[in-house]
């Protein structure tokens, strides 16, 4: 008998094929009807169905894995319309199920053919791990998969074929040969356990150990071994009974109700357990159910046990797959009750039975009905019917039979009109028609005299006809959000006295006159294009008109009942006069306008409680003469230099004051006598000009809980003043010039947050004695040591000490801090031999703050050295309320990007997001995350070109480029409020946008990674933009939603542009956001760019040689990235070689010689920049350039005989290996000061008239994400076009070259023996032929040659000054 199973034939036949695994050819030779291996399969009989384990693999190259043989791969590659689908067995919980089948098929293969090959009757489809529906026989599974992938954002057919072959896709779309039994749907578990069970009233059955669950109103009995996948017996208990058995101790008999009642006997081990089950079950059997919730159960029919629930009043069948035709469907209502048992249990068959005569509420939303079930109109008792989101195009005329209907929801359909018969429903009071296709107000609503609420949000209305609305005198509330309204018209002057609430948000209206609505109490008209607004003030209580272009708002008469007025984000130049006369006004928001003055009547109002006038142009405030009830005052982002002198005296109820981002130099006094009556609790004064003189004023506010004084001019904080703020809970003093925190901070027993980064603090404050301290941020200071108590406070959760370059923590201290949830310190420089060199063109800093929330849901990705070349990747991820997805993306997205870059040069960024979306797996089914990813690299087609920046984002995370001091947005905000195109797309796909502007009430974002259960409304396809980087590019800023909501692009750029430390810059952005009112998680990343046209990006032997353009000549503090991103800081330039040696060990070894021999470096062509092109071999040939000085000396650096160090050579037994790189330049104006002249070549070539300048390159093993700073060179290296930098690199023997002030090789070698301990070695040359050892007897001769170099330095410098022509640029060696 030949081996069974057809291999892929030469033709693209539609028959499905299952892919054999090559290593199992013999084992899997199951008998398929007909055909030897390689034969063409018949339409059905040649399908081989095998059961085997298919391992999950998230790799991109799924088609090349061992699950496919070579013939299968060839067959798939012949046509992109071919592919494979995974068919799972009944067990949905098994990750690697033995019932998993891999079936090869085409896009034309129907589900019926796959079912025949699988030996089953049906094929089921599950999306996002949620509902499971039965596929119709004619549906095509592979086409469904391809359509799904195309909807995600894939547009390449070959790529979709590869993605479909990836088993990870099963978390989003999965096929089953049998409908899975999902125990997680049967929630509401009350009791459970493993007990001995016997079925039946008689003793015919034996006792057996079973898993027993009391869930909801049912008793579930199943096998212990296969409790989630095996057969489950469900026993309805409502109407049944539970009894104690007398013949067997601790045993209960559970009996269901009905003619075919069943009984299960359960034996318990203890009396207490038996009584607990008996008590709980007795409660259930005595229930008379009035409400049954069967939503989200993937039901095609109502379960049988529901028939015995007699008095159902409310039935919820939302989000199922109820059919509108066929057996057990919704249109079988004409079937009589006596014929009921001859058919499959269907939805409305049960409803029509006498037992459901009391049904009043029925929810059939999200059931894919397609048409309205006419049989529903026979249920005359219905008072509430919800049939939303079913794809309905019309309503039948029989709808008029539902005479008792009061609430009717028809949202999310395709209705364009309503039947006349609907007018007979005289008890209908609420009609939901949102997100349909209505172009005008339905005239039939005029006949519905009791109707008081008309919901028409998300339709296609372009004109608001007030005349039609006037004829509907019974309508009180109108919802017209998210339409296309452009104007409101009125044919007559007749007023409307019925409408009290109107919602016109998110339309396109330019002017609005609703003065005819005399009874209007509340109006929402945010996010339009309104320039003028006219209203009636007779009944007006609340007006919300934010985010428009209003220059004038007219209300007549004066709204005497007005309590809330919000006019922010408009173009108002003055507060309307009628607002000053509103006697009951409590809330006034006129922020983000053009106000230059504030009327005294507003500030002196006797009713105003909350006043927001931030982001205006106020230069002063009117004086206060009377006591006012003001409780909240927001004055941020104005031009104020002082506050009213009597502010705190007259506003005794003031609890919140935000005066950040002004020009305040002083604060008014809080008391006139000895005792202060101030109730102020929250005070934000960040980003002003306050000095130490304002501190005594703060004592007048003894109730202060939160105090922000960041970014001022504070130099000291008097200890006596701080001790009086006993109720202080949060203190922010960052960005000042403080040198210490007073010891009296210990008196603030309630303090839980101290933020004092970016100061000059050198002494650790005494805060670890505070009992409630939770968060401490002392980063970017000058701390050198920490004195800690014997025991840390139990509440301490986070301690940030990063950016303190001189801080050294002992192991004992680290052990004590190990109990803290988050400890941020500067990691020691990477000392691994394979550590990548630091990029000279960018450095970064990251800051993440939790704010008022108890967990941080923001993560960042920062790789300053990415892949092989000079590349970088930066990202920010915001999970809103979940922390799982941001962390997953932080760990996986860089690897996905690296793999995608190798596969595609055009779609790599988009595919990175789509693949990351898939890799989220089950975590991404219900959770979502915004993301922004930035990739810096050279153009692939031209490696010598400038850098290019590619940015992709979804959600609300954004990236901003600072170019010439101005912000350049690179991202697109995907939210309903800020992206009209996305809002239109979501509306067309019939999503329900709730009143808080969220898709299905979940999120305001329309594109995210994750949240797959909201597909297709929420998509992962990103917005991608690419831009070449230039010399004018200074910064790259990344932030989450909370950051950009409180900081404008311009302010963010101007706030950090002058800072040299990117960590301090990122911290400042987060601090500003918090001081401006942010209470949510906030994350910021600052990438300092140092891109220049003459930046050298050559690669020498696999190592990148950065050019001079990437270095900052003057920096006050090394750039230290945030430790939260796992970035190690750089060495301080003051760190001696002995200190480094003591850290890493000092065992001399020659292992470094193998670096050039192991062949581990990639044998690819060196990349050269435009300054240093690869020279032709006929003109130039590289010469060995490494010399090794060796001497047998004692470990103390002195000769064992004369105890005197030998000048110029290493005397501790190790080697000095010098890598010399010579750039030959001939030109005018290339001037070098000493000691550069010392390196002139002693053997000039044919063009020796130009002189040779020897530049030393040193490589340091600092982390690849940091920029080398603080190197003060005696020669002006920035003047040379061919200058490179000298790093120190750790050798295999543990030695390392520290950062020195001079790049003079001779000085380095001379200073080496003077170190107290440790070995010293310069980096070795990579190539083995460059190893050259100077014997001891030639050391004196070498010293003489070195001195000769110094003597010839002056002559060489003169030759360079008089050089006229510029020679060819090339590299050579000494």
């Amino acid at each position: 008998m030949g081996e069974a199973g057809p291999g892929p034939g030469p033709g693209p036949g539609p028959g499905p094929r299952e892919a054999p695994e090559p290593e199992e050819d013999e084992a899997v030779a199951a008998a398929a009807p007909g055909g030897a291996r390689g034969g063409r399969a018949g339409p059905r009989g040649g399908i081989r169905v095998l059961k085997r384990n298919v391992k999950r693999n998230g790799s991109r190259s799924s088609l090349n894995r061992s699950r496919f043989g070579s013939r299968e791969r060839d067959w798939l590659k012949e046509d992109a319309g071919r592919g494979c689908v995974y068919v799972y067995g009944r067990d949905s919980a098994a990750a690697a199920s033995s019932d998993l089948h891999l079936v090869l098929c085409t896009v034309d293969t129907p589900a019926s053919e796959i079912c025949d090959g699988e030996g089953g009757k049906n094929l089921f489809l599950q999306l996002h791990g949620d509902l499971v529906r039965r596929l119709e026989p004619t549906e095509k599974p592979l086409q469904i998969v391809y359509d799904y992938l195309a909807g995600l954002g894939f547009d390449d057919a070959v790529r979709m074929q590869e993605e479909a072959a990836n088993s990870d896709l099963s978390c989003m779309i999965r096929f089953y040969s049998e409908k899975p039994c999902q125990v997680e749907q049967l929630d509401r578990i009350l009791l459970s356990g493993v007990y001995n069970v016997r079925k039946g009233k008689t003793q015919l059955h034996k006792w057996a150990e079973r898993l027993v669950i009391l869930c909801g109103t049912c008793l579930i009995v199943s096998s212990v071994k296969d409790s989630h996948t095996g057969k489950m017996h469900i026993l309805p208990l409502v109407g049944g009974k539970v009894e104690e058995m007398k013949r067997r101790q601790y045993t209960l008999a559970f009996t269901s109700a009905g003619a075919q009642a069943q009984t299960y006997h359960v034996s318990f081990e203890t009396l207490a357990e038996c009584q607990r089950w008996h008590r709980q079950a007795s409660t259930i059997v005595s229930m008379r159910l009035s409400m049954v919730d069967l939503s989200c159960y993937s039901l095609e029919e109502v379960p049988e046990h529901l028939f015995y629930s007699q008095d159902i009043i409310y039935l919820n069948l939302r989000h199922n797959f109820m059919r509108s035709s066929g057996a057990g469907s919704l249109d079988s209502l004409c079937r009589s009750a006596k014929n009921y048992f001859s058919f499959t249990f269907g939805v409305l068959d049960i409803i029509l039975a006498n037992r459901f005569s009391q049904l009043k509420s029925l929810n059939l939303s999200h059931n894919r009905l397609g048409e309205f079930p006419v049989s529903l109109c026979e249920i005359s008792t219905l008072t509430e019917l919800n049939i939303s989101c079913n794809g309905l195009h019309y309503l039948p005329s029989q709808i008029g039979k539902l005479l008792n209907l009061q609430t009717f929801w028809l949202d999310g359909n395709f209705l364009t009109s309503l039947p006349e018969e609907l007018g007979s429903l005289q008890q209908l009071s609420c009609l939901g028609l949102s997100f349909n296709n209505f172009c005008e107000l339905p005239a039939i609503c005029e006949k519905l005299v009791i109707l008081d609420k008309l919901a028409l949000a998300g339709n296609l209305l372009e004109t608001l006809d007030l005349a039609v609305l006037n004829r509907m005198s019974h309508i009180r509330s109108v919802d017209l959000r998210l339409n296309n309204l452009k104007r409101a018209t009125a044919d007559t002057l007749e007023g409307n006295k019925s409408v009290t609430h109107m919602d016109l948000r998110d339309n396109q209206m330019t002017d609005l006159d609703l003065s005819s609505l005399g009874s209007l109490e509340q109006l929402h008209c945010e996010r339009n294009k309104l320039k003028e607004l006219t209203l009636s003030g007779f009944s007006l209580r609340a007006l919300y008109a934010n985010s428009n272009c209003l220059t004038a708002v007219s209300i007549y008469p004066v709204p005497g009942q007005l309590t809330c007025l919000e006019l922010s984000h408009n173009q108002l130049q003055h507060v309307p006069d009628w607002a000053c006369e509103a006697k009951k006004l409590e809330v006034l928001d006129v922020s983000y306008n053009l106000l230059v003055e504030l009327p005294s009547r507003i500030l002196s109002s006797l009713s105003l409680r909350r006043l927001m006038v931030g982001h205006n142009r106020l230069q002063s405030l009117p004086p206060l003469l009377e006591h006012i009830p003001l409780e909240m005052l927001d004055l941020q982002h104005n031009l104020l230099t002082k506050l009213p002198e009597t502010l705190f005296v007259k506003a005794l109820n003031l609890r919140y004051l935000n005066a950040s981002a002004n020009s305040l130099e002083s604060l008014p006094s809080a008391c006139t006598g000895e005792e202060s009556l101030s109730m102020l609790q929250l005070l934000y004064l960040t980003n002003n000009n306050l000095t130490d003189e304002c501190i005594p004023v703060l004592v007048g506010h003894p109730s202060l809980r939160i105090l922000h004084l960041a970014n001022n001019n504070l130099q000291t904080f008097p200890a006596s003043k701080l001790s009086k703020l006993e109720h202080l809970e949060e203190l922010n003093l960052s960005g000042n010039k403080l040198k210490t925190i007073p010891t009296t901070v210990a008196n603030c027993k309630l303090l839980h947050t101290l933020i004092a980064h970016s100061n000059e603090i050198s002494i650790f404050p005494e805060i670890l004695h505070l009992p409630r301290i939770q968060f401490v941020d002392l980063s970017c200071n000058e701390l050198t040591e920490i004195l800690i108590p014997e025991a840390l406070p139990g509440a301490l959760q986070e301690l940030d000490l990063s950016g303190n370059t001189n801080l050294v923590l002992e192991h004992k201290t680290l052990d004590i801090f190990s109990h803290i949830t988050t400890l941020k310190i500067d990691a020691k420089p990477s000392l691994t031999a394979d550590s990548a060199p630091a990029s000279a063109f960018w450095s970064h800093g990251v800051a993440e703050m939790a704010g008022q929330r108890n967990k941080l849901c923001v993560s960042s990705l920062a790789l300053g050295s990415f892949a092989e070349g000079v590349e970088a990747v930066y990202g920010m991820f915001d999970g809103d309320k979940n922390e799982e997805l941001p962390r997953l993306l932080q760990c996986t997205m860089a690897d996905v990007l690296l793999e995608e870059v190798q596969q595609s040069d055009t779609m790599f960024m988009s595919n990175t997001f789509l693949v990351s979306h898939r890799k989220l797996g089950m975590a991404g089914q219900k959770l979502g995350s915004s993301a922004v990813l930035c990739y810096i690299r050279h153009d692939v087609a031209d490696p010598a070109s400038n850098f290019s920046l590619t940015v992709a984002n979804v959600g609300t995370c954004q990236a901003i480029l600072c170019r010439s001091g101005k912000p350049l947005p690179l991202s697109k905000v995907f939210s309903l409020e800020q992206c009209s195109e996305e809002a239109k797309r979501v509306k067309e796909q019939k999503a329900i946008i709730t009143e808080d502007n969220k898709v299905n009430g979940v999120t305001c974002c329309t594109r995210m990674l994750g949240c797959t259960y909201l597909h297709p409304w929420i998509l992962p396809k990103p917005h991608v933009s690419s831009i070449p980087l230039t010399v004018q590019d200074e910064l790259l800023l990344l932030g989450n939603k909370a950051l950009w909501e409180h900081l404008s692009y311009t302010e963010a750029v101007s706030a950090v542009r002058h800072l040299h430390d990117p960590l301090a810059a990122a911290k400042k952005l987060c601090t500003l956001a918090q001081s401006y009112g942010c209470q949510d998680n906030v994350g910021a990343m600052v990438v300092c760019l140092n891109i220049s046209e003459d930046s050298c990006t050559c690669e020498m032997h696999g190592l990148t040689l950065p050019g001079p353009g990437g270095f900052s000549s003057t920096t006050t503090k090394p750039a230290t990235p945030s430790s939260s991103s796992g970035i190690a800081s750089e060495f301080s330039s003051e760190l001696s070689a002995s200190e480094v040696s003591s850290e890493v060990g000092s065992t001399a070894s020659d292992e470094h010689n193998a670096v050039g021999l192991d062949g581990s470096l990639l044998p690819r062509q060196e990349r050269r920049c435009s300054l240093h092109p690869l020279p032709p071999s006929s003109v130039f040939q590289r010469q060995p350039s490494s010399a090794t000085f060796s001497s047998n000396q004692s470990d103390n650096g002195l000769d064992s005989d004369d105890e005197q160090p030998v000048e110029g050579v290493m005397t501790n037994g190790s080697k000095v290996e010098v890598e010399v790189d010579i750039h030959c330049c001939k030109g005018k104006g290339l001037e070098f000061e000493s000691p550069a002249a010392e390196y002139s070549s002693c053997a000039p070539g044919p063009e020796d008239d130009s002189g040779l300048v020897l530049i030393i390159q040193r490589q340091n093993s600092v982390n690849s994400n940091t920029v080398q700073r603080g190197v003060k060179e005696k020669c002006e290296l920035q003047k040379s076009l061919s200058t490179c930098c000298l790093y120190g690199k750790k050798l295999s023997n543990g030695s390392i070259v520290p950062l020195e002030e001079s790049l003079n090789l001779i000085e380095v070698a001379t200073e080496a023996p003077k170190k107290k301990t440790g070995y010293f070695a310069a980096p070795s040359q990579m190539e083995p032929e460059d190893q050259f050892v100077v014997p001891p007897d030639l050391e004196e001769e070498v010293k003489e040659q070195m001195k000769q170099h110094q003597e010839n330095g002056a002559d060489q410098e003169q030759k360079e000054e008089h050089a006229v022509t510029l020679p060819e640029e090339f590299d050579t060696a000494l």
Side-chain angles (χ1 to χ4, degrees), residues 375-493:
S375 302
L376 289 180
C377 303
E378 303 296 332
I379 311 176
S380 59
T381 57
L382 278 180
T383 60
E384 181 179 358
L385 176 61
N386 189 341
I387 198 164
S388 302
C389 301
N390 277 288
L392 306 181
H393 288 80
Y394 66 93
L395 293 180
S397 58
Q398 292 88 337
I399 196 68
K401 296 181 180 181
L402 299 175
L403 299 178
N404 293 319
L405 199 61
Q406 301 176 8
T407 303
F408 195 13
W409 298 108
L410 291 164
D411 303 324
N413 288 292
F414 297 92
L415 301 175
T416 57
S417 62
L418 297 176
E420 289 293 332
E421 289 77 7
L422 191 66
S424 60
L425 306 183
Q426 294 301 307
Q427 297 190 31
L428 192 63
S429 60
C430 183
L431 179 61
L433 300 173
S434 298
F435 303 99
N436 281 279
N437 295 336
F438 290 96
C439 296
E440 59 183 4
L441 296 177
I444 193 62
C445 295
E446 298 180 18
K447 300 181 181 180
L448 303 175
V449 293
I450 303 182
L451 187 67
D452 62 348
K453 183 176 182 180
L454 181 61
L456 279 168
N459 279 275
L460 306 177
L461 277 71
E462 295 185 356
T463 302
L464 174 58
D465 193 343
L466 297 178
V468 176
L469 196 60
N470 290 340
R471 292 194 294 269
M472 302 178 185
S473 58
H474 46 279
I475 299 293
R476 295 179 53 84
S477 177
V478 179
D479 184 2
L480 297 176
R481 296 176 296 117
L482 295 161
N483 276 274
N484 299 326
L485 292 175
K486 298 179 181 179
R487 58 187 177 275
T489 61
D491 298 337
T492 63
L493 298 178

Side-chain angles (χ1 to χ4, degrees), residues 1076-1118:
Y1076 295 163
C1078 176
Q1079 298 182 357
D1080 206 343
N1081 290 170
V1082 58
M1085 181 184 297
V1086 177
V1087 182
C1088 295
L1089 300 175
N1090 201 350
I1091 308 298
S1092 60
E1093 295 179 355
D1094 57 350
S1095 297
C1096 175
T1097 58
C1098 296
E1099 288 187 354
M1100 299 290 291
H1101 308 288
L1103 297 177
T1104 303
L1105 310 183
F1111 290 89
S1112 176
S1113 58
T1114 58
T1115 52
T1116 59
K1117 187 182 294 186

Side-chain angles (χ1 to χ4, degrees), residues 899-918:
E899 189 172 353
E900 292 298 329
V901 168
Q902 298 172 355
Q903 298 291 336
S904 172
D905 293 334
T906 56
M907 300 297 296
F908 66 90
M909 191 63 92
S910 179
N911 289 343
T912 297
F913 274 68
L914 299 180
V915 173
S916 299
H917 176 73
R918 166 173 57 80

Side-chain angles (χ1 to χ4, degrees), residues 211-319:
L211 175 65
V212 185
I213 301 175
L214 187 62
C215 175
T217 60
C218 300
L219 184 74
I220 303 175
V221 180
S222 63
S223 170
V224 177
K225 181 178 180 181
D226 301 322
S227 59
H228 288 180
T229 60
K231 184 177 180 181
M232 294 191 301
H233 301 272
I234 302 177
L235 186 70
L237 294 179
V238 176
K241 58 183 179 180
V242 55
E243 300 174 317
E244 295 185 15
M245 289 187 63
K246 299 180 180 180
R247 298 182 180 180
R248 188 179 179 93
Q249 192 177 18
Y250 310 148
T251 302
L252 297 178
F254 298 87
T255 306
S256 62
Q260 299 179 356
Q262 294 182 344
T263 301
Y264 281 90
H265 296 84
V266 182
S267 177
F268 301 95
E269 296 180 356
T270 63
L271 176 62
E273 198 170 20
C274 180
Q275 291 176 344
R276 184 167 62 252
W277 278 75
H278 186 264
R279 184 168 53 252
Q280 192 69 52
S282 299
T283 304
I284 296 176
V285 298
S286 60
M287 283 184 179
R288 298 183 64 83
L289 287 182
S290 61
M291 179 177 180
V292 176
D293 186 0
L294 292 175
S295 60
C296 304
Y297 270 70
S298 301
L299 296 177
E300 297 177 6
E301 305 163 353
V302 174
E304 179 181 352
H305 66 80
L306 187 64
F307 179 75
Y308 301 105
S309 302
Q310 302 178 5
D311 301 325
I312 294 180
I313 298 177
Y314 304 98
L315 179 58
N316 186 2
L317 297 172
R318 183 185 67 88
H319 222 301

